[in-house]
């Protein structure tokens, strides 16, 4: 069964084409990664799925329905949520306020409060700092807040764009422990864009390798890991995939 299906999607900005006829799929409860060098079009593809960039061609289907080009608030309400690169939290708002913004489209107020308490249980630092400004958190703490805020929408697909970017090894380890629980605790599939190849390969069951905006290779992680194209384009040699 396919939950999210991207078929021949082409994207771009102005006169520049970024993604070219990209296709991928995501099943319920699955963790799939999108790999590739900087500039391969990974983040733009996530934005196209989330409704932040309108595809120039191709289709996006979610739960059997065509959702191509729907605005991001509608996509989020339907269950497709993007945690963007750079966290994008509201620095002048409190941690608690940032957290509840993830549930802005929900009307089940009592359940939102239950979910907020659960997020604070999963991410204890958010409970400790709930009254502090979001901008006062460290980079790793802000990333935890961004993921928790995304989960507050009760997504069926959570897209994570470079969740380990700029984090210390200790924080990366914590993020690595959290991502597999997203499916187990919340029933959400995860589409992961991650420059840290070791992290991505350890978490996902399948992957897609982008080169110059196109899918250059795809398949189970073991197949991608052993592929010469991945080493050549992205990992810089055999040592990087050990």
């Amino acid at each position: 069964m396919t939950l999210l299906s991207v078929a021949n999607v082409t994207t771009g900005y102005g006169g520049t084409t970024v993604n070219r006829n990209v296709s991928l799929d995501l099943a319920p409860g699955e963790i799939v990664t999108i790999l590739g060098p900087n500039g391969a079009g990974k983040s733009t593809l996530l934005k196209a799925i989330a409704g932040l960039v309108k595809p120039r061609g191709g289709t996006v289907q979610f739960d059997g329905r065509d959702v191509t080009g729907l605005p991001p608030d509608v996509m989020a309400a339907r269950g497709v949520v993007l945690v963007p690169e750079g966290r994008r939290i509201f620095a002048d708002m409190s941690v608690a306020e940032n957290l509840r913004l993830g549930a802005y489209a929900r009307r089940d107020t009592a359940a939102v409060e239950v979910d907020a308490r659960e997020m604070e249980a999963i991410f204890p630092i958010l409970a400790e700092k709930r009254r502090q400004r979001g901008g006062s958190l460290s980079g790793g703490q802000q990333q935890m807040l961004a993921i928790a805020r995304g989960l507050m929408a009760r997504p069926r697909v959570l897209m994570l764009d470079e969740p380990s970017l700029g984090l210390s090894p200790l924080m990366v380890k914590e993020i690595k422990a959290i991502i597999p629980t997203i499916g187990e605790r919340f029933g959400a599939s995860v589409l992961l864009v991650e420059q840290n190849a070791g992290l991505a390969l350890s978490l996902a069951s399948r992957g897609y390798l982008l080169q110059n905006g196109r899918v250059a290779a795809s398949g189970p992680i073991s197949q991608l890991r052993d592929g010469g194209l991945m080493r050549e384009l992205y990992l810089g040699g055999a040592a990087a995939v050990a």
Side-chain angles (χ1 to χ4, degrees):
M1 177 182 176
T2 299
L3 180 61
L4 177 71
S5 177
V6 175
N8 300 311
V9 162
T10 296
T11 67
Y13 304 100
T16 302
T17 299
V18 178
N19 297 117
R20 297 171 176 83
N21 297 314
V22 173
S23 297
L24 62 81
D25 61 82
L26 182 68
E30 192 176 28
I31 300 177
V32 169
T33 187
I34 303 173
L35 299 165
N38 289 333
K42 305 183 298 295
S43 294
T44 299
L45 181 61
L46 293 191
K47 290 177 182 177
I49 296 170
L52 292 164
V53 172
K54 189 171 183 178
R56 293 177 172 178
T59 60
V60 178
Q61 288 197 333
F62 175 65
D63 202 16
R65 297 183 178 181
D66 189 344
V67 294
T68 312
L70 290 182
D73 58 329
V74 175
M75 290 298 291
R78 292 195 179 194
V80 180
V81 174
L82 172 63
V83 177
E85 179 183 351
R87 276 83 77 171
R88 308 284 178 88
I89 67 164
F90 293 91
D92 292 330
M93 298 178 70
S94 71
V95 170
E97 289 169 335
N98 268 279
L99 192 60
R100 282 161 180 77
L101 275 176
Y104 74 95
R106 293 173 55 183
R107 298 293 178 262
D108 50 341
T109 306
V112 167
E113 291 307 309
V114 171
D115 287 353
R117 297 284 82 80
E118 183 171 5
M119 292 306 132
E120 291 182 347
I122 296 170
F123 305 92
I125 193 66
L126 302 185
E128 180 182 331
K129 297 180 179 289
R130 67 165 65 98
R131 293 184 177 85
Q132 294 187 25
R133 292 172 55 254
S136 71
L137 302 183
S138 70
Q141 292 165 356
Q142 289 185 17
Q143 186 63 71
M144 291 181 183
L145 177 56
I147 293 173
R149 183 179 62 187
L151 289 170
M152 285 293 293
R154 289 193 173 179
R156 296 179 65 192
V157 172
L158 186 68
M159 299 187 292
L160 302 175
D161 193 359
E162 302 284 8
S164 77
L165 185 65
L167 303 188
S168 68
L170 180 60
M171 280 295 180
V172 171
K173 186 177 180 180
E174 291 192 33
I175 296 297
K176 180 180 179 179
I178 289 164
I179 291 174
T181 71
I182 291 172
E184 297 166 4
R185 300 186 69 160
F186 302 99
S189 302
V190 176
L191 191 57
L192 173 66
V193 163
E194 179 54 64
Q195 199 67 22
N196 182 331
L199 177 62
L201 294 171
S202 69
L203 292 172
S205 59
R206 293 188 300 113
Y208 294 84
L209 176 61
L210 295 190
Q211 178 189 15
N212 297 324
R214 298 180 184 273
V215 175
S218 64
I221 289 301
S222 58
Q223 178 180 319
L224 288 180
R225 186 195 300 271
D226 296 335
L229 181 60
M230 185 172 178
R231 298 175 189 275
E232 176 185 350
L233 294 178
Y234 184 53
L235 298 175
V241 297

